[in-house]
Amino acid sequence: METPVTEKPDAPALIALDWGTSSLRGYLMDAGGRVLDRRSSAHGIQSLPVPGIPGFEQAFADLCGAWLKTHGKLPAVAGGMVGSAQGWAEAPYVPCPADTGSLAGKAVAVESASGVRVLIAPGVIFDPPDAVPDVMRGEEIQISGALADHPHLAGRACVALPGTHSKWVQVTDGRIARFATYMTGELFAVLSRHSILGRLMLDDAAASPADRSAAEAAFAAGVRTARDGLAGDLSHQIFAVRTLGLTRRLPPEVLKDYLSGLLIGNELVSGLARMRDTLAGDTPLLLIGDAALCRRYVRALDLLGTVPAALLDNTAPRGLFQFAVEAGLVTSPVSSDRSDMP
Amino acid sequence: METPVTEKPDAPALIALDWGTSSLRGYLMDAGGRVLDRRSSAHGIQSLPVPGIPGFEQAFADLCGAWLKTHGKLPAVAGGMVGSAQGWAEAPYVPCPADTGSLAGKAVAVESASGVRVLIAPGVIFDPPDAVPDVMRGEEIQISGALADHPHLAGRACVALPGTHSKWVQVTDGRIARFATYMTGELFAVLSRHSILGRLMLDDAAASPADRSAAEAAFAAGVRTARDGLAGDLSHQIFAVRTLGLTRRLPPEVLKDYLSGLLIGNELVSGLARMRDTLAGDTPLLLIGDAALCRRYVRALDLLGTVPAALLDNTAPRGLFQFAVEAGLVTSPVSSDRSDMP
């Protein structure tokens, strides 16, 4: 939520890095949490310019060197896969219930070759005694940002973060209470690229209104099949991508929409059931993620009779800022409720 | 079921080809359906020696040339993907209910360069008015063989054929009444090879009793997770392969057993529910397929409280023989119930 700000931005006070598997995004921020400048590169932790620690050093210098030259040694924070065992330094998972304060309390610092201290956020583990553990890295920062911008949601909310590895998160009293991962995006990618289902698919190079309408109908058909399916049915449902293609009941350019509907639909059927107790009453459902992907989830949720309370795009900068505030790196923190700002 | 046969085998009367995607298996048979000789090659329809029709010709000549030279122009039959749109000649799907007679009635003949007539079996399509269609190619021949060897099962049975694309089939009055495909084997392969789940996996090169016991325990844990899962839960369940590996709660060499248990377990949960009406009462459940894979299914079925009535290995030669009998290619057909033979 962007609040109109009339004051002049302060001087640069923080570098915030959202450092994932396939990309690195940097934000230059002032002491009020405003983004003054942003830069990004393809140097995710799996695609560094050179392997290992020198790769992290070089990617950091490439992205932030100009900022540091102009503004001096600013404090820096980083979240995401940069804190994994394959990252710049490992920041072990903190257990649920977790909030921005517990992330800051277990952060791990590295000092770059240029002498800048970079504070790396840990991920979060949900480890119930009677089930298998689940983990996240990066989403906890996005949730910190969402709750900082929308403090009225912190009491109780269900947050879904669609993506390669979607997360369904219960937030209670401002903390991540429990969560579950769904490999929806990765399943879509490996099935499209590496399974028999990809053979009949065509990309929709064209995008006429008629094509879009056919694609939306195929997506909706996939969601409805997921909604009406038996438990354990996914590996049967996806074979329909082949049979509908073979029998030409769906044109090849919308087969991937049908598969997308099946996979997102299955995630929603399970996620809504898993969070049923959380969502009872007035508890809002938030979506955080890429806007186009979130719109797909909204269409699928509609077919399941659910409407999310809000869609939030990139909340990582705000979350990294809150993490820096909790870690004491920013000297004049603003109120956590920006909507109350003058 | 092998019946003791005291007579001398007859002269060669038929060449039967089980011609799938990745392999070609040939059987030289007498007029009583006995296998006199067998040969196989890697020339499945996706790995022909040269592309297109000349590839089918060459693969056929390589496999059967010696038989034809010795025994003259025998009639030949072929089943499997050889009859698909990418096959030697397309034999369009016949609809359910389908039996060996309807397969023979819609067979398509090609004449090889050497002048041998090869009769290709069609696949089967299940196309209910209110759902998506499903298809099989090759399994219908295996079912023909199973029912020929076990005619008491033809009245009513549920047949599961584990594999890359597992099939769950309802047989009523000797016919394939309906069926469903599960992409269990292909999902296992693409997730192990191409997803993040494969990164932590190790092959169990060693096979000490302790290792086997840990592998069986991991498989059983996967089946139980599938049994107790929510609808739509598979893309969540499989992420546990990563978290159990990351947290070292399962050793890397048994992660693939856990994944196998999850995927087979999900197939069984859905397959048994889909066939609940069929399996009510005394209707037997048959498994047809690779013996080691069928044993995995038996262990998983046991955890779900079900015991199959029989496990049958390669029933394709017998099915191809029955197909040849129905097509009138074999002049002295035996009774279809071999257990009644003198």
Side-chain angles (χ1 to χ4, degrees):
Chain A
M1 189 188 291
E2 285 294 326
T3 309
V5 176
T6 48
E7 323 98 283
K8 260 184 86 173
D10 289 334
L14 180 72
I15 290 173
L17 304 173
D18 176 10
W19 205 331
T21 301
S22 58
S23 71
L24 166 59
R25 295 188 185 87
Y27 305 92
L28 183 69
M29 305 180 91
D30 71 11
R34 281 166 285 250
V35 174
L36 306 176
D37 194 12
R38 63 185 71 208
R39 299 191 64 190
S40 66
S41 80
H43 290 151
I45 76 156
Q46 299 284 355
S47 49
L48 294 170
V50 296
I53 301 303
F56 288 99
E57 290 280 6
Q58 187 178 324
F60 177 68
D62 288 351
L63 196 83
C64 304
W67 289 339
L68 295 167
K69 193 170 172 189
T70 307
H71 305 294
K73 280 187 194 171
L74 298 170
V77 293
M81 291 301 284
V82 67
S84 71
Q86 291 75 42
W88 197 347
E90 184 172 3
Y93 298 107
V94 300
C96 288
D99 61 13
T100 320
S102 48
L103 297 177
K106 295 290 184 182
V108 169
V110 291
E111 189 170 305
S112 78
S114 54
V116 174
R117 187 169 175 272
V118 181
L119 195 66
I120 298 176
V124 177
I125 186 166
F126 174 54
D127 195 6
D130 54 346
V132 296
D134 209 326
V135 295
M136 62 168 63
R137 274 201 191 272
E139 293 87 357
E140 67 292 336
I141 292 291
Q142 300 214 51
I143 290 169
S144 292
L147 299 184
D149 272 344
H150 302 273
H152 61 286
L153 298 173
R156 190 172 182 86
C158 175
V159 185
L161 301 104
T164 305
H165 295 165
S166 298
K167 308 287 179 187
W168 282 69
V169 185
Q170 178 187 326
V171 172
T172 307
D173 298 332
R175 293 172 164 187
I176 295 171
R178 66 185 175 110
F179 63 91
T181 300
Y182 293 82
M183 293 180 61
T184 307
E186 184 164 6
L187 263 180
F188 180 79
V190 298
L191 290 172
S192 301
R193 288 180 204 151
H194 300 292
S195 86
I196 196 172
L197 302 183
R199 290 207 204 135
L200 299 172
M201 290 181 183
L202 276 183
D203 274 334
D204 54 346
S208 74
D211 291 342
R212 280 200 302 276
S213 162
E216 291 193 8
F219 177 78
V223 174
R224 279 190 291 266
T225 298
R227 179 191 64 192
D228 302 335
L230 298 168
D233 219 26
L234 182 63
S235 78
H236 167 62
Q237 291 171 14
I238 58 178
F239 192 66
V241 175
R242 178 159 178 80
T243 57
L244 291 170
L246 275 179
T247 56
R248 300 177 196 216
R249 302 208 188 158
L250 283 182
E253 61 272 20
V254 306
L255 290 175
K256 64 178 176 18
D257 296 279
Y258 184 79
L259 179 62
S260 171
L262 282 179
L263 296 174
I264 290 175
N266 271 274
E267 177 189 326
L268 294 179
V269 165
S270 169
L272 291 171
R274 176 167 271 114
M275 293 293 167
R276 186 170 292 133
D277 294 345
T278 304
L279 287 168
D282 289 337
T283 305
L285 172 64
L286 300 189
L287 295 184
I288 304 178
D290 170 75
L293 184 59
C294 282
R295 281 196 297 275
R296 287 196 160 234
Y297 274 67
V298 169
R299 274 157 47 210
L301 281 165
D302 181 57
L303 293 166
L304 299 174
T306 299
V307 180
L311 278 64
L312 307 179
D313 205 335
N314 186 10
T315 59
R318 176 67 167 159
L320 288 163
F321 179 77
Q322 286 305 117
F323 170 68
V325 168
E326 291 285 347
L329 297 183
V330 181
T331 47
S332 57
V334 294
S335 154
S336 69
D337 187 352
R338 299 187 77 199
S339 57
D340 292 336
M341 284 176 72
Chain B
M1 189 186 295
E2 284 296 326
T3 308
V5 175
T6 48
E7 322 99 282
K8 260 183 85 171
D10 289 335
L14 181 71
I15 290 174
L17 303 173
D18 177 10
W19 205 331
T21 301
S22 57
S23 70
L24 166 59
R25 294 188 185 87
Y27 304 91
L28 184 69
M29 304 180 92
D30 71 11
R34 280 165 287 249
V35 175
L36 306 176
D37 194 11
R38 62 185 72 207
R39 299 191 63 189
S40 67
S41 81
H43 290 151
I45 76 157
Q46 298 285 353
S47 49
L48 294 170
V50 296
I53 301 303
F56 288 99
E57 290 280 5
Q58 188 178 323
F60 176 68
D62 288 351
L63 196 83
C64 305
W67 289 339
L68 294 166
K69 192 169 171 189
T70 308
H71 306 294
K73 281 187 194 170
L74 297 170
V77 292
M81 291 301 285
V82 68
S84 71
Q86 291 75 41
W88 197 345
E90 183 172 5
Y93 298 107
V94 301
C96 287
D99 61 13
T100 320
S102 47
L103 298 177
K106 295 290 184 181
V108 168
V110 291
E111 189 170 306
S112 77
S114 54
V116 174
R117 187 169 175 272
V118 181
L119 195 66
I120 297 176
V124 177
I125 187 166
F126 174 54
D127 195 5
D130 54 347
V132 296
D134 208 326
V135 295
M136 63 167 63
R137 274 200 191 273
E139 293 86 357
E140 68 292 336
I141 291 292
Q142 299 214 52
I143 290 169
S144 292
L147 299 183
D149 273 343
H150 302 272
H152 62 286
L153 298 173
R156 190 171 181 87
C158 175
V159 184
L161 301 103
T164 304
H165 295 166
S166 298
K167 307 289 178 186
W168 282 69
V169 185
Q170 177 186 326
V171 172
T172 306
D173 298 331
R175 293 172 165 188
I176 295 171
R178 65 185 177 111
F179 64 91
T181 301
Y182 293 82
M183 291 180 62
T184 306
E186 184 163 6
L187 264 180
F188 181 79
V190 298
L191 290 172
S192 302
R193 286 180 206 153
H194 299 292
S195 87
I196 196 172
L197 302 183
R199 291 209 202 133
L200 299 171
M201 290 181 183
L202 276 183
D203 274 335
D204 55 344
S208 74
D211 292 342
R212 281 201 300 277
S213 162
E216 290 194 6
F219 177 79
V223 173
R224 280 191 292 264
T225 298
R227 180 192 63 192
D228 301 336
L230 299 167
D233 220 25
L234 182 63
S235 78
H236 168 62
Q237 291 170 14
I238 58 177
F239 192 65
V241 175
R242 179 158 177 79
T243 57
L244 291 170
L246 275 178
T247 56
R248 299 176 197 217
R249 301 205 189 160
L250 282 183
E253 62 271 21
V254 306
L255 290 175
K256 63 178 178 19
D257 296 280
Y258 184 80
L259 178 62
S260 171
L262 282 179
L263 296 174
I264 290 175
N266 272 275
E267 178 189 325
L268 293 180
V269 165
S270 170
L272 291 171
R274 176 166 272 114
M275 293 294 167
R276 185 170 292 133
D277 293 346
T278 304
L279 288 168
D282 290 337
T283 305
L285 172 63
L286 301 189
L287 295 184
I288 305 179
D290 170 75
L293 183 59
C294 282
R295 281 195 298 273
R296 287 197 159 234
Y297 275 67
V298 170
R299 274 158 46 209
L301 282 165
D302 181 56
L303 292 166
L304 299 174
T306 299
V307 179
L311 278 65
L312 308 178
D313 205 335
N314 185 10
T315 59
R318 176 68 167 158
L320 288 163
F321 179 78
Q322 287 305 118
F323 170 68
V325 168
E326 292 285 347
L329 297 184
V330 182
T331 47
S332 57
V334 292
S335 153
S336 69
D337 187 352
R338 298 187 79 201
S339 57
D340 293 336
M341 283 175 72

